């Protein structure tokens, strides 16, 4: 949810002309999405491993 908010903020910053902040906010958003995906993959694999 926070990553989506940061993605939206990135678009708003770009539209308002704050280009110096766009890259760092976009990077933070991408890092959060990747982290969330890795957590989900780890959770699914661990659940399958211990489901016996």
């Amino acid at each position: 949810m926070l990553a989506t908010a940061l993605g939206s903020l990135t678009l708003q910053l770009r539209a308002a002309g704050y280009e110096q902040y766009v890259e760092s906010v976009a990077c933070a958003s991408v890092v959060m999405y990747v982290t969330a995906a890795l957590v989900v993959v780890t959770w699914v694999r661990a659940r399958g491993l211990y489901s016996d």
Side-chain angles (χ1 to χ4, degrees):
M1 188 86 133
L2 182 59
T4 303
L6 286 175
S8 176
L9 178 62
T10 300
L11 296 175
Q12 291 175 4
L13 287 172
R14 180 168 288 161
Y18 291 102
E19 290 292 329
Q20 67 268 26
Y21 302 112
V22 169
E23 185 177 346
S24 61
V25 174
C27 183
S29 178
V30 169
V31 168
M32 287 183 191
Y33 273 121
V34 170
T35 302
L38 289 174
V39 167
V40 168
V41 168
T42 302
W43 179 73
V44 168
R45 291 186 69 187
R47 185 174 171 170
L49 183 64
Y50 296 114
S51 65
D52 294 340

